[in-house]
């Protein structure tokens, strides 16, 4: 059974004076591009079974702008997480989840996509390695249960920058 993991970086955020990093909201561009990401997800992914989302304001707003309505677990540990921490979080996913959307931050999202991909010489991986901008999405497929996912066990099948 194929498992699909979608790693998404939050939309472009605003930098209002006096607002702590965790509470920064999306900028108008971030709202628009997260909405475009949601349109792309709905047109390319048959179903998203579960979402794990950072607790920051900008990631929550990104999820809302996508219009994805799968069950959500908000995880404080996604914020500033290393690839190892994110992979451990992914490994905890339920077996009945076939497609998982993980919304977080840089550098965690691009580094985790790179770590998990076995096909680092592909066109998608080359593009991902150059830049993983806000609202970007990396789609990886695995031929194993979530608990058995480790670095180099996935195939990066798509890298999309909604603009």
């Amino acid at each position: 059974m194929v498992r699909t993991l979608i790693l998404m970086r939050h939309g472009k955020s605003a930098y209002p004076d006096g607002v702590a990093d965790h509470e920064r909201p999306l900028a108008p561009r971030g709202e628009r591009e997260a909405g475009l990401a949601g349109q792309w997800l709905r047109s390319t992914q048959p179903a998203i079974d579960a979402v794990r989302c950072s607790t920051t304001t900008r990631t929550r707003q990104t999820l809302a702008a996508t219009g994805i309505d799968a069950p959500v677990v908000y995880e404080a540990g996604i914020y500033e997480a290393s690839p190892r921490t994110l992979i451990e979080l992914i490994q905890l996913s339920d077996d009945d989840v076939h497609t998982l959307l993980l919304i977080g931050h840089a550098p965690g999202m691009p580094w985790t996509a790179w770590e998990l991909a076995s096909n680092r010489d592909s066109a998608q991986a080359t593009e991902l390695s150059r830049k993983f901008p806000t609202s970007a999405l990396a789609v990886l497929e695995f031929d194993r249960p979530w608990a058995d996912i480790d670095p180099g066990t996935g195939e990066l099948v798509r890298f999309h920058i909604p603009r």
Side-chain angles (χ1 to χ4, degrees):
M1 166 163 301
V2 173
R3 308 267 182 210
T4 302
L5 172 66
I6 305 159
L7 298 171
M8 180 178 186
R9 183 175 173 198
H10 63 77
K12 176 74 176 160
S13 58
Y15 293 87
D17 290 337
V19 175
D21 185 67
H22 198 274
E23 306 308 318
R24 284 192 295 122
L26 287 181
R29 180 180 125 195
E31 286 274 344
R32 181 180 63 76
E33 290 173 355
L36 292 172
Q39 290 173 8
W40 183 83
L41 283 169
R42 284 188 297 284
S43 71
T44 62
Q45 300 302 314
I48 294 174
D49 302 307
V51 178
R52 290 189 182 248
C53 182
S54 169
T55 56
T56 66
T57 300
R58 60 191 175 276
T59 52
R60 289 172 173 262
Q61 290 177 337
T62 296
L63 174 58
T66 67
I68 301 299
D69 62 357
V72 181
V73 174
Y74 294 99
E75 300 274 354
I78 294 173
Y79 184 70
E80 297 185 344
S82 69
R84 182 74 247 158
T85 298
L86 293 170
I87 291 169
E88 288 171 358
L89 181 66
I90 294 161
Q91 290 170 335
L92 296 174
S93 298
D94 292 334
D95 287 335
D96 60 345
V97 171
H98 302 291
T99 302
L100 173 66
L101 171 62
L102 183 64
I103 302 175
H105 311 268
M109 294 297 105
W111 288 357
T112 301
W114 186 257
E115 277 291 308
L116 290 171
S118 62
N119 57 330
R120 293 182 185 161
D121 59 349
S122 68
Q124 295 93 339
T126 299
E127 186 179 355
L128 180 149
S129 71
R130 289 185 182 135
K131 190 170 184 181
F132 199 108
T134 53
S135 295
L137 302 121
V139 181
L140 295 108
E141 291 182 351
F142 300 87
D143 63 356
R144 62 197 68 217
W146 296 115
D148 297 336
I149 288 173
D150 278 312
T153 61
E155 181 180 356
L156 180 64
V157 295
R158 289 184 193 91
F159 180 64
H160 179 71
I161 301 169
R163 298 284 187 257

